[in-house]
């Protein structure tokens, strides 16, 4: 698989749907009155469904939740615990397009609970019209190497 | 409104639907491999929809999420930010029925971000068949008095 | 005990020391580059020591920690698990004095783990010189009624 | 620097002191009544002081705090914001010695707020007498690559 294929999303037929969903989440549903940094996420379940999320802040900052974790919360609470890919789009609220936005460590740990080390995590940069202008794709093991996980406790 | 009316849920036509949803969440979707304490929540939006949630734990305990916050994350990410009631059912996983389970402080703070001081929070005790045998109803201001909230920052 | 005695702190000989410690924490150590809302806390252990804390934010907002929880983390990690009082001072960073700042729900839950229902929580308003101009004193059961706690799990 | 030097800690004169501190934290101060997994951490400030931490759990699991974050909270609240190394020792409570215990993603994000990409993170395995039998040393960039951080917001 060459770079062009990877970044055009040719390897994943739901790539465009994930992109649209994450951008919509960021632009329309994100609740970020404190940081004004809006993030959307789209999580593809093995059931073929797309579970979406946005960041939802709180006046007590530590009580807020990130977009990625919202997507996982939605999926698990709807019966899906196995996943195929996660796509993230984030940027300051005054930007129409999104930047390459990496998941925070807390979100990586959430992913770790349910996904294997090869689970793909996609960050996209999009222009105001929703066209992807740049992207990065990582495996979970590349973003959270040497991780702590369920097998340490169970 | 007398006590019987309150606890039979006669004041809220969606009471039975909320009860069923919270119990289903607890029994079927809760992911609690560490505490074995399973919680379900059902949040009624002003749009008339019921947004459900369950607790979803993590090997790194602080990374997990409670049922109530899952329900709010789902609602907000689906465009609903105004709510009419929240109902909670929780108990250890080896119990078929649920106990009166109070929301933790972190969840009360989440509610505080979106709901007014009179927002009703219902805790139900149910038998294994899903029949409510006891309940408590509180207003948010009774569970989180003298609270910190958005007006402290914005 | 009349109101004047309560608010002058006459009931607690460490009241002035707690006040000074919380104000110092807020003014000097708080790390709040995102909210610019600076909080200090001072926690009196049964061992007679004062454990101090400030809020410490994080670019990923949910990863930050509040002043009250910092104080508890310090105390417990130094061997103290029983407490006599908690005092809080908070305000926006451009204010020299502090406002009456209520603990968030997450902090109330932290207190709940280690303190009884009558545990006193003090919020002070101070002028720029550190003189207390107003205060509130609550018992834990007044700030987190009908709480979830260790006995629900253990 | 060869492997033996690295693992004997010959590169860091405070290595033994950090080891002792982390083990003591784990064995004596950790509060883990729910997971029974006890962790200690020792953080070396650029001021030469060692800031210690242990995990402190909560009946509402997400409200707890990890050992590493406790150490950072202590340091920052005591005026230290620059650091030289972090050492971690963790294992189930019925083990006298410690295992190689990796920091969770949330802790990695906490480290990210204050430390550079080459910041060393040490995990030690020790026997019941406190002798180190194995260890791993990573740079922050190896444990949290492609990270989200303050420069994304400020």
């Amino acid at each position: 698989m060459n770079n062009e294929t990877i970044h055009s999303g040719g390897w994943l037929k739901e790539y465009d749907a994930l992109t649209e969903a994450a951008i919509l989440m960021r632009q329309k549903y994100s609740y970020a009155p404190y940081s004004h940094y809006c993030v959307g996420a789209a999580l593809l379940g093995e059931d073929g469904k797309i579970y979406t999320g946005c960041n939802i802040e709180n006046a007590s900052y530590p009580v807020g939740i990130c977009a990625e974790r919202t997507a996982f919360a939605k999926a698990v609470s709807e019966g899906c615990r196995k996943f195929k890919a996660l796509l993230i789009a984030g940027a300051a609220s005054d930007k129409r397009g999104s930047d390459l936005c990496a998941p925070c460590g807390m979100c990586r740990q959430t992913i770790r609970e349910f996904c294997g080390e090869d689970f793909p995590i996609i960050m996209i940069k999009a222009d105001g019209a929703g066209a992807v202008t740049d992207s990065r794709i990582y495996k979970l093991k590349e973003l959270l190497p040497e991780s702590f996980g369920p097998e340490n406790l169970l």
Side-chain angles (χ1 to χ4, degrees), chain A:
Chain A
M1 189 159 60
N2 64 23
N3 263 353
E4 197 185 352
T5 307
I6 290 175
H7 290 117
S8 67
W11 58 285
L12 186 67
K13 73 173 163 46
E14 297 90 346
Y15 188 92
D16 289 347
L18 289 170
T19 298
E20 277 177 45
I23 289 175
L24 179 69
M25 277 286 128
R26 186 187 95 74
Q27 289 182 337
K28 190 160 174 194
Y29 297 119
S30 171
Y31 174 77
Y34 309 107
S35 73
H36 305 292
Y37 193 90
C38 298
V39 185
L43 175 63
L44 179 61
E46 277 202 359
D47 56 9
K49 290 185 190 164
I50 292 176
Y51 300 94
T52 56
C54 59
N55 56 332
I56 304 170
E57 299 185 347
N58 191 286
S60 173
Y61 285 14
V63 175
I65 186 169
C66 303
E68 300 91 321
R69 287 185 286 133
T70 293
F72 273 88
K74 195 181 294 186
V76 174
S77 72
E78 294 181 7
C80 183
R81 294 184 183 178
K82 294 192 174 179
F83 305 99
K84 291 169 80 171
L86 174 68
L87 187 145
I88 305 163
S93 61
D94 56 359
K95 289 195 62 172
R96 286 211 57 220
S98 66
D99 293 327
L100 294 170
C101 170
C104 82
M106 194 176 182
C107 287
R108 296 177 191 196
Q109 190 68 42
T110 298
I111 300 168
R112 175 66 172 80
E113 188 74 20
F114 296 102
C115 303
E117 60 180 21
D118 290 326
F119 179 75
I121 298 163
I122 308 159
M123 313 169 196
I124 61 159
K125 182 170 182 170
D127 62 21
V132 176
T133 58
D134 196 2
S135 67
R136 297 283 184 283
I137 303 178
Y138 299 97
K139 297 179 176 181
L140 175 56
K141 69 182 171 193
E142 293 175 308
L143 294 185
L144 195 71
E146 306 299 329
S147 59
F148 184 89
E151 69 281 4
N152 292 97
L153 291 186
L154 296 177

